[in-house]
Amino acid sequence: MQIYLPIAELSVNVLIILAMGGAVGFLSGMFGVGGGFLITPLLIFMGISPAVAVATGANQVVASSVSGALTQWRRQNVDVKLGTIMLTGGILGSIGGVQIVKILRALGQIDLFISLTYVTFLGIIGALMLIESVNALLRNRQGSTAQQRRQSHRNWLHKLPLKQRFHRSKLYISAIPPFALGVLVGFLSAIMGVGGGFVIVPAMIYLLKVPTNVVFGTSLFQTVFVGAFTTIMQAYQNQTVDAVLAGILIVSGVIGAQIGVQTSARLKAEQLRAILALLVLAVAVRLAFGLIVRPEDIFSIAPVAVTS
């Protein structure tokens, strides 16, 4: 069953798109991630332009994050002040990222840039996650538990100016690190079509020392608004959001996420992290393979943005 995507300018099998959205939704619910780092490469593999894949994939990230953010809000696990500072940085980073996408589209280099960004980030993060999860599995097999290291000493964050008191997170730190973190996530959202959870969650836990129960709610709070803003900017500036494709992915993704949540309860945390790490590395390798291997058609005809 074929369906035409007006912005992507090609016909695709709607059943494949539904299966893809459901699979990514399943993985999102299973691993607790937005899924943008998976859906965007999958769309690229199907022949959809990376620029369209990035902008449209961000819609699914927003949709999957809204329900989680509302749940965390009801549980009072959202630090609004901290999230707002990160959101401000995220909007600025998103604006910069969208402008870079516009410039690279005009130069005809956006596809290469997105692919290289994905290979770099997914390769590094996947490798680190795999090492950590394998070490955790080995410790559990040996019957030892991970030692909780106290972070009683003050690090370089406490020496920065513009200190703010974040009551919900029980922190008194400079506003500069969370703002800078928000800028990075906003930039990644525009360039990669991701929510940035795979960057922001570890950074909040290990760098900012935010309590774990507050991390996920605050991260989702920031992700929803930055993702929505990025989508609007991509649609307005670059006209790369395909509403038909986004609708199909959102519907199937929501269904898949519910199944994924139930499945995750049957696996251990270390096993989940190891599987996710292998999945991330597999996507990075596949993208790198596409950059190295000689294509069947050396030349292709593709629309290029024209600047006045």
Side-chain angles (χ1 to χ4, degrees):
M1 180 179 176
Q2 297 290 316
I3 185 172
Y4 182 73
L5 305 178
I7 302 300
E9 297 183 343
L10 80 163
S11 296
V12 296
N13 190 315
V14 67
L15 297 179
I16 294 178
I17 298 297
L18 284 171
M20 186 185 301
V24 173
F26 173 80
L27 295 173
S28 299
M30 187 173 177
F31 298 119
V33 296
F37 69 96
L38 291 174
I39 194 63
T40 301
L42 289 176
L43 292 175
I44 294 174
F45 297 158
M46 285 196 64
I48 295 174
S49 166
V52 175
V54 165
T56 305
N59 287 268
Q60 189 185 42
V61 174
V62 174
S64 62
S65 299
V66 167
S67 60
L70 291 175
T71 301
Q72 295 290 352
W73 178 274
R74 287 193 292 267
R75 295 176 181 174
Q76 298 183 346
N77 287 337
V78 178
D79 191 321
V80 178
K81 184 176 181 180
L82 179 62
T84 301
I85 292 176
M86 295 170 60
L87 174 60
T88 304
I91 290 176
L92 293 178
S94 175
I95 292 174
V98 170
Q99 294 302 318
I100 289 178
V101 169
K102 184 176 181 179
I103 294 172
L104 290 174
R105 285 190 73 206
L107 296 174
Q109 299 296 323
I110 184 61
D111 292 9
L112 176 62
F113 182 77
I114 291 175
S115 296
L116 287 174
T117 303
Y118 260 97
V119 170
T120 302
F121 272 90
L122 295 187
I124 294 174
I125 293 172
L128 293 175
M129 288 176 60
L130 183 61
I131 293 172
E132 188 276 334
S133 58
V134 169
N135 288 334
L137 288 170
L138 292 176
R139 286 195 300 268
N140 289 341
R141 179 170 296 182
Q142 295 171 358
S144 61
T145 57
Q147 295 181 348
Q148 300 294 330
R149 291 177 297 180
R150 288 184 172 270
Q151 300 292 341
S152 58
H153 63 279
R154 291 179 174 269
N155 55 29
W156 58 272
L157 293 178
H158 294 85
K159 300 178 182 179
L160 296 176
L162 301 177
K163 286 189 176 181
Q164 298 289 324
R165 192 172 298 279
F166 302 98
H167 297 283
R168 187 66 192 86
S169 299
K170 299 178 181 179
L171 293 175
Y172 182 59
I173 60 173
S174 169
I176 296 176
F179 178 82
L181 181 60
V183 172
L184 174 62
V185 172
F187 179 79
L188 294 178
S189 178
I191 297 296
M192 301 175 66
V194 298
F198 63 93
V199 173
I200 200 171
V201 170
M204 290 178 70
I205 293 175
Y206 299 112
L207 184 63
L208 302 182
K209 312 302 180 187
V210 179
T212 304
N213 64 316
V214 180
V215 167
F216 297 107
T218 307
S219 173
L220 288 171
F221 171 82
Q222 190 256 8
T223 297
V224 168
F225 290 102
V226 171
F229 179 80
T230 301
T231 300
I232 295 172
M233 287 292 294
Q234 294 280 26
Y236 176 74
Q237 289 280 350
N238 300 320
Q239 296 81 45
T240 51
V241 178
D242 196 306
V244 176
L245 177 60
I248 298 173
L249 292 174
I250 289 172
V251 171
S252 58
V254 169
I255 298 174
Q258 299 302 316
I259 302 174
V261 170
Q262 298 176 6
T263 305
S264 65
R266 304 176 184 177
L267 297 175
K268 296 180 180 179
E270 294 82 5
Q271 295 173 329
L272 287 172
R273 292 200 298 271
I275 295 172
L276 180 59
L278 291 173
L279 187 61
V280 170
L281 286 174
V283 173
V285 171
R286 173 60 180 83
L287 284 170
F289 183 78
L291 291 174
I292 298 172
V293 174
R294 181 186 179 93
E296 295 181 1
D297 297 323
I298 301 178
F299 301 100
S300 63
I301 300 175
V304 178
V306 179
T307 56
S308 57

